[in-house]
Amino acid sequence: MDVFEAIKTTRAMRRLDPTKPVSDTDLWTIIEAATKAPSGGNSQPVRWLVVRDEEKRRKLGDIYRECWAPVAEMYRGRTPASDVTTTRVLNSADYLGEHMGEAPVIIVPCAKGGDPGSVYPAAQNLFLAARALGLGTTLTTVHKRKEQEVREVLGIPEDVNTFALIPVGYPTGRWKEAQRRPVEDVTYWDTWRSVAARPTEAT
Amino acid sequence: MDVFEAIKTTRAMRRLDPTKPVSDTDLWTIIEAATKAPSGGNSQPVRWLVVRDEEKRRKLGDIYRECWAPVAEMYRGRTPASDVTTTRVLNSADYLGEHMGEAPVIIVPCAKGGDPGSVYPAAQNLFLAARALGLGTTLTTVHKRKEQEVREVLGIPEDVNTFALIPVGYPTGRWKEAQRRPVEDVTYWDTWRSVAARPTEAT
């Protein structure tokens, strides 16, 4: 798959088929892709904890559900009923809130120290590689509210931080381009808030 | 370019040709790729400040040089002379320490709030898209030591955080695979430190 196609069509896939297993080969492939990302001083601090064990996934799902509930409430409190797009995203996120534990695999990127710039670029590589293999993923971080409970389920020492719970599986929905703001609205030139129109392509 | 090829061959390119300009079209393309990444609640907080102005780049280069010097000293203090790989990386990083301001473009991802999980996945998209176009990039964060000075050069308000200085240009070196640890060394299965050998591909 072309890299631009992968970038365009990688989006949060929160509805995963719990009955369709993910192969070990594919897991090795997407984690190897993750390892290629940069890290501060090339320190490569991330360890990828792959959770396939059913009981552990159920426990992570329970923790995730409890963490998501208050976040969902917060988002809904500030989302007007007329905002159809956000409401649809929230419904999808609620689904994941209930079903995280049923994802065939949950990947937990861990690292000593707290340098997120050495972790999240790698996660994006993993998402893109998964997309190319037809596997859906979502970046979630609300488990941080009960991180110690996650550590206990997985035997992670207290000096190691967990940066995400990433459900992995075959999506039940379709791949399509994520809805994002136009690039012109988020790009400044030389000075804060100095915007420019994107030139139309020569034809 | 295939997404796996882009992922494998995207690495820090710190020696950039100061005489070869980067087209606006390519800048729009790589920033648009960045915007496709996920963000918390799809909040899309990142603003991409593209610095082409020569005087501003020179000032950013001066700040970066001052920030890099003590970091370089720290790294060198703990790197044995026998560690040829790290020494080579440090030499390359020293080059960037001296020449950041000569990169044809410096991109500064900015956001209100401090959620790095909404910034660094987008940066990785930008790096991969740049790679596909033949443009070199490097993720640097040492400017944080003098972030207020960076804000002053670019007119960035105090409530906005800067997450990186990313030099962009045509590399003088070759594209090749980054040196990383084997995936088997950084992957755990179901429990912290529970490792497994990667199966050899069926032939």
Side-chain angles (χ1 to χ4, degrees):
Chain A
M1 177 179 288
D2 177 75
V3 60
F4 288 103
E5 176 69 13
I7 285 171
K8 269 185 202 162
T9 62
T10 296
R11 62 187 184 97
M13 298 303 259
R14 301 187 186 87
R15 298 170 196 267
L16 304 174
D17 186 339
T19 68
K20 207 171 165 190
V22 178
S23 77
D24 282 3
T25 303
D26 281 357
L27 290 170
W28 284 114
T29 299
I30 66 176
I31 296 169
E32 184 168 46
T35 66
K36 302 301 181 188
S39 57
N42 201 23
S43 54
Q44 305 177 62
V46 188
R47 300 297 173 267
W48 302 88
L49 213 166
V50 183
V51 186
R52 292 175 299 186
D53 179 83
E54 192 173 345
E55 176 69 7
K56 289 185 178 177
R57 283 187 288 120
R58 194 187 56 72
K59 286 182 183 171
L60 293 182
D62 290 344
I63 297 167
Y64 187 78
R65 185 181 300 110
E66 289 167 27
C67 291
W68 172 247
V71 177
E73 199 171 331
M74 181 195 72
Y75 277 127
R76 285 196 191 280
R78 64 190 197 200
T79 303
S82 58
D83 185 344
V84 179
T85 305
T86 306
T87 301
R88 200 163 50 203
V89 171
L90 279 172
N91 290 344
S92 165
D94 281 343
Y95 179 91
L96 182 60
E98 287 299 317
H99 298 275
M100 172 67 87
E102 294 161 38
V105 180
I106 300 172
I107 297 181
V108 187
C110 306
K112 280 189 195 179
D115 177 17
S118 296
V119 178
Y120 292 113
Q124 183 65 14
N125 270 3
L126 185 139
F127 302 150
L128 295 169
R131 165 66 190 102
L133 299 175
L135 290 167
T137 58
T138 309
L139 178 59
T140 80
T141 56
V142 297
H143 78 280
K144 293 292 275 186
R145 292 166 168 245
K146 293 179 183 280
E147 185 177 27
Q148 188 51 32
E149 294 182 26
V150 170
R151 285 197 189 96
E152 281 160 20
V153 171
L154 303 173
I156 299 170
E158 294 207 11
D159 64 340
V160 172
N161 294 308
T162 64
F163 288 82
L165 297 190
I166 302 169
V168 183
Y170 290 92
T172 59
R174 288 180 306 121
W175 295 102
K176 58 185 178 187
E177 198 163 335
Q179 295 208 340
R180 306 286 188 239
R181 282 183 198 144
V183 58
E184 298 91 325
D185 293 1
V186 298
T187 309
Y188 301 152
W189 300 86
D190 288 322
T191 301
W192 185 251
R193 293 219 178 281
S194 167
V195 296
R198 183 177 189 173
T200 47
E201 301 287 335
T203 50
Chain B
M1 176 178 289
D2 178 74
V3 61
F4 287 103
E5 176 70 13
I7 285 171
K8 268 185 202 162
T9 61
T10 297
R11 63 186 185 95
M13 297 303 260
R14 301 187 185 87
R15 298 170 196 266
L16 303 174
D17 186 339
T19 67
K20 206 170 165 191
V22 178
S23 76
D24 281 3
T25 304
D26 282 358
L27 291 171
W28 284 114
T29 299
I30 66 176
I31 296 169
E32 184 167 47
T35 65
K36 302 301 181 189
S39 57
N42 201 24
S43 54
Q44 305 177 63
V46 188
R47 300 298 173 268
W48 303 88
L49 213 166
V50 183
V51 186
R52 292 176 299 186
D53 179 83
E54 192 172 344
E55 176 68 10
K56 290 185 178 178
R57 283 186 288 120
R58 193 187 57 72
K59 286 182 181 169
L60 293 182
D62 290 344
I63 296 168
Y64 187 79
R65 185 182 300 110
E66 289 167 27
C67 292
W68 171 247
V71 178
E73 199 170 332
M74 181 195 72
Y75 279 127
R76 286 196 190 280
R78 64 191 198 200
T79 303
S82 59
D83 185 344
V84 178
T85 305
T86 306
T87 301
R88 200 163 50 203
V89 171
L90 279 173
N91 290 344
S92 164
D94 281 343
Y95 179 90
L96 182 59
E98 286 299 317
H99 298 274
M100 172 68 87
E102 293 161 39
V105 180
I106 300 172
I107 295 180
V108 187
C110 306
K112 279 189 194 180
D115 177 18
S118 296
V119 178
Y120 292 113
Q124 183 65 14
N125 270 3
L126 185 140
F127 303 150
L128 295 169
R131 164 67 189 101
L133 298 175
L135 289 167
T137 58
T138 309
L139 178 59
T140 80
T141 57
V142 297
H143 78 281
K144 293 293 275 186
R145 293 166 168 244
K146 293 179 184 277
E147 185 177 28
Q148 188 51 31
E149 293 182 27
V150 170
R151 285 197 189 97
E152 281 160 20
V153 171
L154 303 172
I156 299 170
E158 294 207 9
D159 63 341
V160 172
N161 294 308
T162 63
F163 289 81
L165 297 188
I166 303 169
V168 183
Y170 289 92
T172 59
R174 288 179 307 118
W175 295 103
K176 57 185 178 186
E177 199 162 335
Q179 295 209 340
R180 306 287 188 240
R181 282 183 199 144
V183 57
E184 298 90 324
D185 293 1
V186 297
T187 309
Y188 300 151
W189 301 86
D190 287 321
T191 301
W192 185 251
R193 293 218 178 281
S194 168
V195 296
R198 183 177 190 171
T200 47
E201 301 287 336
T203 51

